[in-house]
Amino acid sequence: MKKQYETAMINRGGRVGEVEAPNGSMHMKIDKPGIHSEGTNPEQLFAAGYASCFNGAVQHMLKEHAIESESEVKARVSLYHHDDGSYQIGVILEVSLPGIEKEEAEKIAEEAHDFCPYSRATRGNIDVDVQVV
């Protein structure tokens, strides 16, 4: 396996702190999840990354099949609290492929799920539900 890219982010303060890129290109306040939060949280950051990566995989599959559509992916990330005190996340990926029949759109979404690096990294670790909407 050949490394194609590497990046880094630095966190100070955990869930109530800040995160920044070493080169200064990104700096965000991190806060606990909630509707009155002034910052972002790890679940939102994961959702942003997964939605972007998965939509890239969808676009790759569209190109492979010579199909045109303005794809959109919403990643809904939930944080669950287990009775034993531990936490776990779960993801619902909502894939929109305007102008494509539902059966074909589901095939594209399934192929994207097999191809996407985020999907491959999470497979067997968390629940990920891919839905064509």
Side-chain angles (χ1 to χ4, degrees):
M1 179 167 45
K2 179 181 175 187
K3 185 187 297 185
Q4 184 174 344
Y5 176 73
E6 180 178 278
T7 190
M9 295 295 284
I10 301 165
N11 173 275
R12 292 175 192 87
R15 282 188 168 266
V16 181
E18 62 186 23
V19 65
E20 68 180 343
N23 66 1
S25 65
M26 181 186 288
H27 183 97
M28 290 179 280
K29 181 177 178 172
I30 302 297
D31 206 350
K32 294 178 184 176
I35 58 174
H36 300 294
S37 174
E38 293 182 18
T40 188
N41 59 63
E43 291 73 31
Q44 288 173 319
L45 295 171
F46 185 76
Y50 205 162
S52 299
C53 188
F54 196 86
N55 200 13
V58 167
Q59 291 172 355
H60 176 79
M61 291 305 147
L62 290 170
K63 187 175 181 180
E64 288 283 310
H65 291 283
I67 299 172
E68 291 188 25
S69 180
E70 294 292 323
S71 62
E72 181 178 284
V73 174
K74 178 195 285 186
R76 295 171 40 203
V77 174
S78 298
L79 180 63
Y80 297 99
H81 187 230
H82 293 286
D83 291 338
D84 68 3
S86 65
Y87 292 88
Q88 182 173 338
I89 60 172
V91 178
I92 298 172
L93 297 171
E94 297 177 352
V95 181
S96 174
L97 291 165
I100 298 177
E101 295 293 325
K102 185 159 183 148
E103 186 175 303
E104 184 70 20
E106 288 172 344
K107 179 182 174 190
I108 294 295
E110 183 180 316
E111 290 177 3
H113 193 39
D114 288 339
F115 183 80
C116 174
Y118 272 59
S119 291
R120 294 171 58 99
T122 59
R123 191 165 288 121
N125 296 311
I126 64 171
D127 290 332
V128 178
D129 182 17
V130 180
Q131 302 174 355
V132 173
V133 295

